[in-house]
Amino acid sequence: MHEPSSPRPPDAIPRRRLCLAADMEQYSRLDTRTQSAVQSDLARLLDEAAELSGLDRAAWARQPQGDLEFAVLPEATPEVTVLGPFVQHLVACLGALNARPAVPRVRLRLAVDAGVAAGAALGHAGPAPVAVARFVNAPQLKAALAALASADLAVIVSDRLYQDVVRFGHPGLDPAQYVRAEVRVKDFGGHGWIRVPGHGPDDVRPFAESTGGMLPSPGTPAPGRTEPSQYVHQGVAVGRDASGGINVGLPMVPPPVVPWRTW
């Protein structure tokens, strides 16, 4: 008798692709009915922001995971459009959504990277999916969004994207608005660049420059500027673990929990 064959990955050829993850803050505190409603809100927000930016959401390889959506975008997607107009429209759509009376406020963390990604049996594999999964859970990003109460969105881009796209100052992209953060989550280490629309870099810097993500104590010296290499262990696919984080490959010990504020 033949052993049942494993499903063949839809696209096992590694290609440079733009990857993003959008994750909702404090989703687990909501009841079941409200979770269902905000899931619909998240899907609609991403659809509207993409349409307003001229991006084809139907062509995105999407992995919805409740309060998070991970997506691999088509090869031809302009990176400038995603980092500029898409983010701007997402901020505007969030503002309109959160202006509604007596509804839960939706606040998002958005992580974006460009790099090698390939289709796999359970999703996507490669350095870019791993990096996005880690960046969206960066303690610095969580702390900045939690502390800057008027913000609806906090964005982190990989150093690779910052150097290739952001720092050249394309229309809608101001490199001075991004603050570098040394991100270490699980088996991953690398640099990301954080921006919180509606807040300047001075508001973000205390959180971004703290390796633990929390506001540094008075008198604490600034973190060193040593350049760690970006590294990952072998990944297989992206998925959500029981604690609300994202797993890529075999389950690992979750990162330290960052205290939340109650708004």
Side-chain angles (χ1 to χ4, degrees):
M1 179 180 293
H2 294 290
E3 293 291 331
S5 60
S6 300
R8 180 174 179 145
D11 179 11
I13 301 175
R15 307 175 190 273
R16 179 180 166 95
R17 306 283 288 276
L18 197 64
C19 301
L20 64 81
D23 198 357
M24 282 188 283
E25 182 192 54
Q26 298 187 352
Y27 173 85
S28 62
R29 297 188 178 188
L30 305 175
D31 60 37
T32 302
R33 181 176 180 180
T34 308
Q35 286 181 351
S36 178
V38 297
Q39 283 190 32
S40 297
D41 289 337
L42 175 60
R44 186 168 58 253
L45 285 166
L46 296 173
D47 287 346
E48 291 177 357
E51 182 179 0
L52 291 168
S53 306
L55 300 172
D56 182 8
R57 277 269 286 168
W60 293 17
R62 299 162 55 188
Q63 291 177 240
Q65 298 166 40
D67 61 332
L68 177 145
E69 180 178 300
F70 169 80
V72 178
L73 280 58
E75 289 183 78
T77 302
E79 296 167 350
V80 172
T81 300
V82 174
L83 299 180
F86 176 74
V87 169
Q88 293 168 5
H89 288 305
L90 188 56
V91 171
C93 290
L94 278 165
L97 178 74
N98 291 332
R100 300 175 305 173
V103 294
R105 184 180 178 193
V106 176
R107 307 178 78 213
L108 298 180
R109 302 189 311 275
L110 180 71
V112 192
D113 190 15
V116 173
L122 300 178
H124 290 84
V130 172
V132 163
R134 301 304 184 239
F135 278 134
V136 81
N137 279 314
Q140 297 95 324
L141 190 68
K142 290 183 176 181
L145 184 61
L148 302 176
S150 63
D152 291 324
L153 178 70
V155 181
I156 185 168
V157 303
S158 66
D159 185 63
R160 168 167 41 210
L161 266 181
Y162 180 87
Q163 300 299 337
D164 289 351
V165 181
V166 175
R167 75 183 183 93
F168 290 102
H170 294 282
L173 295 178
D174 181 1
Q177 296 300 308
Y178 293 77
V179 181
R180 195 181 72 160
E182 182 181 328
V183 177
R184 296 189 179 277
V185 178
K186 295 187 178 181
D187 56 337
F188 173 87
H191 285 139
W193 292 80
I194 296 176
R195 173 193 169 209
V196 178
H199 290 269
D202 289 342
D203 294 334
V204 177
R205 189 167 289 111
F207 307 99
E209 293 186 347
S210 172
T211 55
M214 301 306 295
L215 187 65
S217 300
T220 302
R225 292 298 184 179
T226 302
E227 295 283 344
S229 60
Q230 184 164 301
Y231 61 88
V232 296
H233 289 219
Q234 183 177 3
V236 177
V238 176
R240 177 166 291 285
D241 61 31
S243 65
I246 306 172
N247 284 331
V248 184
L250 298 176
M252 291 185 175
V253 178
V257 176
V258 178
W260 297 97
R261 294 191 181 186
T262 302
W263 306 106

